[in-house]
Amino acid sequence: MASLLSTTWSLRARLLALVVGLVVFDAVAVAVAYVLGHVAFGLLPLVGYDTGTLFWTMGFDIVPLWPVILVGTPLVLAVQSIYGYRMTLRGAGTTATESRASDPESIDEMRAEVRRSETTDRLQRRVARLAQTVDMATPDVTVIDAEAPNSYVASRPGEQTLFVTTALVDQLDDAELDAVIAHELAHLKNGDAFVMTAAAFLPTVSALFTRTLGKTVQYSGLCHWFLGGEDRDGTWFAGGNIQIVMLLFAVIAIPVTATLYLASTACYRLLSRIREYAADAGGVAICGSPAALASALETLTDSQRPDTDIRTAETGVRELCVVPHAIEPDEQTPPEGRAERLAHRWRTVTERVLPGSHPAVDDRIDALTERQSTLDQHEQP
């Protein structure tokens, strides 16, 4: 028991440290936006060769940095809580609103819609029963029609949603399904579902900015020969000085946004790894069966060993899932042209450098098996 309490407090301390780290990253992101904003504003006078304005702007005399950080960091946190939730819903490939608004166009789609609705009703009752055992609000339930068995929760103040794929419902028995749902409810009970939902915002946005800046470089007339592109509409060499300004800004900003992406994603994934152990323990406390959760994890991973590295999926929803499989399989197409090969190489290198989004499933199963053995020993007379 003492060892269990020590482990629990250790997990909480590490979780708190990573949350503080995420807030620090938000402050750094605000500072980065402040600096890059000055750089962009300072480069604009180059269009008219106004070098005096350039040097004045780069002196950072427009607005002081510290007030921007003090005001901007809480704003970023607020934006994370709102748009992080929406981005997470989009990351699953569906939302509750979209699934209700879309009309089936064939008999097969109509049958699938009816089946999904019936499954949602059954799961809602099951979730309500388990949530009642720990006196917590029942989250909304959305069933995703997907071949990958998985589940996750997304949360923001006043709104909580549990996502379950049809494949997960089909492959697990009642005890295993209860255990997986209890695992997800533990995320909500612990409060880390909201933290993770918000934390997904910064890696996603920094990755988007980096890709956009990369496209700016790719379509620059000065780089098109090196990157092996084709100027089909003759626009690459149009724009004159504006092209130079955009290229200079991209060259300056890409290393900054890429570094921010790597750092925030590493923190996000480390947070994901820690929360899985805590949710496993919390799920066991709700369902009362470590063996059922261990069996569910084994079932989900044995039947879904990916043919390719599971870490090639986009950062976002995967870190929230009970097992690290993408909800929808990524269609990997061979990169064409030097620019796409460079982008593919960048993704490959970053995935090798970044930590995995989940602890090893075998380690989680071993920990659950040990918990089951401890419970069995206590139950013996």
Side-chain angles (χ1 to χ4, degrees), residues 28 129 219 257 263 281 300 306 310 334:
V28 172
R129 171 175 56 80
Y219 294 125
T257 58
L300 296 178
I310 56 177

Side-chain angles (χ1 to χ4, degrees), residues 39-55:
V39 171
F41 193 72
L43 289 175
L44 284 178
L46 288 179
V47 177
Y49 301 103
D50 185 3
T51 56
T53 304
L54 167 63
F55 288 111

